[in-house]
Amino acid sequence: LSDVRNESSKELYKLGAIAGKDQNLVNSPEGWEATPAELRKGTLHPLTDAFCQLLVPHTNASGLSVLQARELAMLLRIEEVSKFTVTQCRRVARIASDIGYCVEPDPVTMNKAWKVERPVAFFLRVTDEEVDTSRYPAAMCMLQIGVAVKSAEAAIAEDAITAIMGQVAGVFDLNQVERRRLEAVAALLAITGAELAGVTRIVKDLPANQREKMAKLTLVLASTDGVISTSELRIIRRVYTSLGFATGEIERSINELRQDDEPTTVMRHGVHDPGEAIPSPEAAAGSLKLDHAAIAEIMKDTREVTEMLAIAMSTTDNAEQSTETSPPDSPADHGAEQIVER
């Protein structure tokens, strides 16, 4: 009983601190959020109507709402915003969560602020399933690489992104909430495109065998129809190069996945890396058909790739947070950011 009383005292202290500043704040969003969870059961967040009205014009048939981050400033009662802080973004994410929505990118888990001109996606939370902090970031990472490869020829169609997302969700065995989050990320990538540099930078310091497994998985995820086009191969070679592989290593790795009935030729005259594999005609021009047995072998390595990416991403996040860290916010901190009343 003493523990319960002490915990209740802490929660009520937060509310009292807000009420001490201004009695009118008791019924404000800050006051509601500082109220103990048991006492606010059955009540709506004061910003519920404003939040839902904000989303409605941007909501598609699947219930996904995508809007520019700058439009969310009104939830913080900020007139003009040129840059968000991590705390402000987490504040919006917590408001959305209290109302029953999830957000991507999630500033609570990623600890990164939104750029005001970038899109943000919201969707209704319909399950209490948790996001696996190893599996889901790895899947999101591979989705970005897959989209980058598939958009090599031209602007990628939405159905192509959906196909890659389905591949990724299946490979990583995502649960319902993780699939829904990945759908939101896919919708954002359809607008912004995918950048290889940020993803490959995360894993460039890993052992060569782990980097190669990731690169081969990229091939599998990009080949939604079992075939990699010439321009897609060009991007995949860039993935390999950015991961630190030389030309000979790249061709050897790719040829290991080539279907046996594809012809190979003698190497052209010129200077080549020692031990460089003899390329097929498609290695320089044409498509690549993947060998089904090789694909199956790569799929066995998915768990290792997941763990590898999770560790690499965690290391990168910790390094970034050491230069610009914003501590977790609490209900008592919700009024700490600059608020300009309308």
Side-chain angles (χ1 to χ4, degrees):
L1 285 174
S2 61
D3 289 342
V4 173
R5 183 185 62 198
N6 290 337
E7 189 61 33
S8 298
S9 297
K10 286 180 185 178
E11 295 297 323
L12 289 172
Y13 176 79
K14 295 173 186 175
L15 181 60
I18 288 177
K21 294 178 183 177
D22 186 342
Q23 189 62 37
N24 293 326
L25 288 176
V26 173
N27 297 318
S28 69
E30 293 80 12
W32 187 91
E33 290 157 2
T35 302
E38 290 298 318
L39 296 181
R40 67 189 192 204
K41 271 187 178 178
T43 65
L44 294 177
H45 192 290
L47 289 174
T48 298
D49 286 344
F51 178 79
C52 293
Q53 289 172 13
L54 183 63
L55 297 192
V56 167
H58 306 282
T59 305
N60 64 19
S62 70
L64 188 67
S65 307
V66 180
L67 64 162
Q68 266 197 347
R70 69 170 68 253
E71 297 185 57
L72 300 166
M74 58 85 64
L75 297 175
L76 302 174
R77 287 170 287 172
I78 298 175
E79 293 281 0
E80 296 290 338
V81 59
S82 59
K83 182 179 180 180
F84 280 122
T85 65
V86 177
T87 299
Q88 287 174 324
C89 294
R90 286 199 301 230
R91 166 101 165 93
V92 173
R94 293 188 190 282
I95 290 172
S97 180
D98 286 335
I99 296 171
Y101 281 78
C102 299
V103 60
E104 279 291 343
D106 186 353
V108 175
T109 57
M110 302 298 288
N111 199 41
K112 292 180 181 178
W114 301 316
K115 293 183 178 179
V116 294
E117 72 279 2
R118 300 283 280 189
V120 178
F122 293 90
F123 58 92
L124 197 61
R125 186 176 59 248
V126 295
T127 175
D128 291 330
E129 288 179 309
E130 296 292 330
V131 172
D132 186 295
T133 54
S134 296
R135 177 178 61 203
Y136 176 69
M140 184 170 59
C141 183
M142 294 309 300
L143 174 64
Q144 292 182 57
I145 294 178
V147 170
V149 172
K150 272 296 182 185
S151 58
E153 295 175 314
I156 187 170
E158 192 171 334
D159 57 348
I161 294 180
T162 301
I164 297 171
M165 191 209 71
Q167 287 262 82
V168 173
V171 165
F172 288 91
D173 193 24
L174 302 185
N175 63 29
Q176 185 179 351
V177 69
E178 290 165 345
R179 283 175 177 265
R180 188 60 169 148
R181 281 192 173 278
L182 205 65
E183 287 176 12
V185 174
L188 296 175
L189 290 176
I191 299 170
T192 64
E195 298 176 358
L196 280 175
V199 178
T200 54
R201 175 176 54 84
I202 294 171
V203 297
K204 65 184 174 83
D205 295 326
L206 292 173
N209 66 318
Q210 292 185 338
R211 285 180 280 122
E212 184 175 10
K213 286 177 180 179
M214 176 183 165
K216 284 184 173 181
L217 184 57
T218 299
L219 272 164
V220 174
L221 295 176
S223 64
T224 51
D225 54 0
V227 177
I228 305 290
S229 71
T230 308
S231 53
E232 290 168 353
L233 268 175
R234 187 167 59 249
I235 299 299
I236 287 171
R237 287 188 174 92
R238 277 177 50 196
V239 172
Y240 272 95
T241 301
S242 64
L243 292 176
F245 292 102
T247 303
E249 295 172 310
I250 296 171
E251 298 309 324
R252 173 194 55 74
S253 182
I254 290 176
N255 280 328
E256 287 176 354
L257 304 179
R258 193 179 297 279
Q259 195 166 291
D260 286 339
D261 59 3
E262 288 197 82
T264 58
T265 62
V266 296
M267 186 170 290
R268 292 182 176 85
H269 176 71
V271 178
H272 305 282
D273 294 335
E276 185 170 347
I278 297 175
S280 76
E282 278 73 17
S287 61
L288 167 69
K289 287 185 180 180
L290 296 183
D291 179 73
H292 293 293
I295 291 175
E297 194 63 31
I298 291 170
M299 300 301 259
K300 292 179 183 177
D301 295 327
T302 301
R303 180 178 293 277
E304 183 179 342
V305 171
T306 298
E307 293 171 354
M308 167 198 55
L309 284 173
I311 293 170
M313 293 174 78
S314 174
T315 302
T316 302
D317 287 343
N318 289 338
E320 290 177 351
Q321 289 174 26
S322 67
T323 58
E324 183 181 355
T325 301
S326 187
D329 56 338
S330 66
D333 298 326
H334 284 158
E337 293 296 331
Q338 180 185 4
I339 293 177
V340 180
E341 298 292 347
R342 290 185 178 278

